[in-house]
Amino acid sequence: MAEIKQGILGPVNGKVGTVVGATWRGVNYIRAKPRKSRKKPSMKQLLQWDKMSLVSTFASKFKDFVNANCPAVYNGEKWITGKEQMISRLMTQGIGLVNGEQHIKVEEALLSIGNLAPAVIKKINRLKTSKFKVQWENGLINALTLNTDKLTMMLYNETLDQFTAIPDVGNRVDKYAHFSIPMDWDNGTVYFWSMWKAADGSVNSTSCFHGIIELESVEKETKIREKEAGNGEQGTENGQQTFSEVVPIEQARDISLKNFLKEVDTSTEVEATSPFIQPFKENQVVDQVHTAELNLTIDSEKYSEEKEIALSSIDAFDKEKKLKKWTPPGYIRKVNKQIINQSQEPKSAVQTEQPNEGVFDGVRSILEFSNISEEQKE
């Protein structure tokens, strides 16, 4: 059903049979109802569909909080809610490409928008009691800031895919406060934001993203700390009171990459000390290993040199292969379904005559395209 808001001669919004009324760039149009296209989607279309599905799924977790703390904006035609603003922002600047898949860059998520000046968060620590301690400085002062302003902490648990907001953590004048997380959050990767709000709720600040922490159960974390203390790695008084600290996202990515490479090196060393070399699909590497094995009975010294060369090639191949499976912290992807589902027919073995047009036969995954980065740049 179409709607005529300005009388019989006014613009038509909606559909009547095969006629559609619409407004585009401030101009009113009447056009025929579009038919479903049988043309295969281009690579750009597939990327856009995947991006929209990813962003809308992520933003839905924050819908109520964002709508309450981001004022609606009028764009000349309609009012845009906080969630819609969040989706628009993430679509333009909040998507990263990791190993051929699009991911949300969590630090780009803005959960509140306001004029109140925030306090500068210095540190967020997890204590022995499983509570968190947050410390701040009141260096940003203007006519709107008051000592009675309240701190709200916002947390997202990526592992559990849950969001929670903890209001009234402390007053601006306190300079530190304690807060508790949900009881069932005993593990997982958790991201932290903060927002300041006037005591009467009249004005709030723009949210600030602070970092990430990997939660462990109290019992497991206690054993880790006791082991570190036994190795002399824990000597500060503060270290005896705190378990872990929320770290900036870039620092967390550096730490995660170093730990991952260390695990890769360790696993490679274990394979290298084995009396048998694991088979690999790459013919060049396999030939090098087989050659080294055959020379064992002829010249042990030459065998050692060739085996070292072969293992170095295997190590490089292993590291590169395993690194492609690693995803940096802060890149979130909760959409596992395939966006491409245009046909129920099986894949065709016939190649398209125009591969540059982005047309292909059968049901394919966007992960099969090696030039996904180039397509996205175009």
Side-chain angles (χ1 to χ4, degrees):
M1 180 182 295
E3 181 180 6
I4 303 177
K5 294 183 178 181
Q6 300 177 14
I8 191 65
L9 299 179
V12 178
N13 292 320
K15 180 177 65 175
V16 178
T18 60
V19 178
V20 177
T23 302
W24 183 67
R25 293 186 177 180
V27 180
N28 302 308
Y29 291 94
I30 293 181
R31 54 181 172 79
K33 179 183 176 181
R35 293 179 295 177
K36 187 174 181 180
S37 175
R38 295 183 180 180
K39 184 179 179 181
K40 298 296 182 180
S42 67
M43 193 62 210
K44 289 184 179 180
Q45 288 176 314
L46 296 174
L47 286 172
Q48 189 70 7
W49 295 347
D50 180 71
K51 184 189 294 186
M52 190 64 201
S53 179
L54 176 64
V55 169
S56 60
T57 300
F58 179 76
S60 64
K61 304 293 185 301
F62 307 87
K63 175 183 176 181
D64 295 336
F65 184 87
V66 171
N67 284 340
N69 295 283
C70 292
V73 176
Y74 188 71
N75 67 351
E77 297 180 3
K78 65 173 184 176
W79 288 94
I80 304 175
T81 64
K83 179 189 174 184
E84 292 171 336
Q85 296 174 51
M86 181 181 184
I87 290 176
S88 177
R89 192 176 300 107
L90 289 176
M91 288 286 289
T92 56
Q93 65 188 47
I95 297 295
L97 198 64
V98 180
N99 299 330
E101 281 190 324
Q102 297 182 119
H103 291 69
I104 295 287
K105 293 191 291 186
V106 70
E107 66 268 27
E108 298 293 339
L110 203 61
L111 306 187
S112 67
I113 299 176
N115 298 322
L116 187 63
V120 179
I121 302 295
K122 296 170 55 180
K123 188 181 294 186
I124 304 175
N125 291 101
R126 190 186 186 197
L127 306 178
K128 261 187 165 182
T129 58
S130 294
K131 288 187 176 182
F132 280 83
K133 180 180 180 180
V134 53
Q135 305 173 59
W136 62 85
E137 290 181 350
N138 295 321
L140 303 176
I141 302 296
N142 60 25
L144 295 177
T145 58
L146 298 172
N147 289 336
T148 56
D149 293 340
K150 303 287 186 179
L151 172 64
T152 297
M153 296 299 300
M154 298 88 80
L155 287 69
Y156 173 70
N157 190 318
E158 179 185 358
T159 307
L160 301 178
D161 196 21
Q162 294 178 5
F163 169 78
T164 185
I166 307 172
D168 300 339
V169 171
N171 295 332
R172 188 186 291 266
V173 70
D174 296 334
K175 294 189 177 181
Y176 77 92
H178 298 84
F179 63 93
S180 300
I181 61 176
M183 295 294 294
D184 58 338
W185 285 23
D186 57 352
N187 62 80
T189 304
V190 181
Y191 304 91
F192 290 76
W193 294 262
S194 68
M195 180 194 73
W196 292 87
K197 199 167 191 175
D200 59 0
S202 59
V203 63
N204 59 265
S205 70
T206 300
S207 65
C208 295
F209 178 74
H210 301 294
I212 181 176
I213 194 173
E214 294 288 343
L215 290 181
E216 299 284 358
S217 64
V218 176
E219 295 79 7
K220 183 175 181 179
E221 206 158 2
T222 301
K223 292 179 180 178
I224 295 174
R225 295 302 173 185
E226 289 177 351
K227 183 177 180 180
E228 291 179 353
N231 294 334
E233 299 180 8
Q234 182 179 2
T236 63
E237 181 179 352
N238 185 52
Q240 297 176 0
Q241 299 298 325
T242 62
F243 274 152
S244 50
E245 180 180 348
V246 175
V247 298
I249 191 65
E250 292 300 331
Q251 182 181 346
R253 286 168 182 159
D254 291 340
I255 294 173
S256 177
L257 180 58
K258 290 178 181 178
N259 293 337
F260 177 80
L261 292 176
K262 188 183 297 183
E263 292 177 2
V264 171
D265 291 338
T266 303
S267 61
T268 304
E269 289 176 3
V270 172
E271 292 176 359
T273 56
S274 174
F276 300 100
I277 306 298
Q278 296 295 329
F280 291 87
K281 294 182 179 179
E282 278 61 22
N283 294 332
Q284 183 179 359
V285 177
V286 173
D287 291 341
Q288 289 176 333
V289 175
H290 286 173
T291 302
E293 295 289 348
L294 291 174
N295 289 339
L296 176 60
T297 58
I298 301 174
D299 189 348
S300 59
E301 188 173 328
K302 184 179 178 181
Y303 163 76
S304 299
E305 295 177 357
E306 294 186 356
K307 184 175 181 180
E308 185 176 351
I309 296 174
L311 289 177
S312 63
S313 300
I314 293 173
D315 292 348
F317 168 69
D318 271 350
K319 288 182 180 180
E320 183 179 357
K321 185 177 180 180
K322 292 179 180 179
L323 190 59
K324 289 182 178 180
K325 298 180 180 180
W326 177 72
T327 301
Y331 285 82
I332 298 174
R333 182 176 178 86
K334 291 296 182 181
V335 177
N336 296 321
K337 63 182 180 180
Q338 288 189 356
I339 300 301
I340 306 171
N341 189 17
Q342 300 299 316
S343 173
Q344 300 298 326
E345 299 177 0
K347 294 182 180 179
S348 173
V350 180
Q351 299 293 330
T352 177
E353 296 180 357
Q354 297 177 339
N356 295 329
E357 296 296 326
V359 181
F360 52 89
D361 297 327
V363 181
R364 299 277 296 277
S365 168
I366 63 172
L367 302 182
E368 295 179 23
F369 291 86
S370 60
N371 61 340
I372 189 171
S373 300
E374 286 76 12
E375 290 286 350
Q376 195 173 36
K377 289 180 182 178
E378 293 178 3

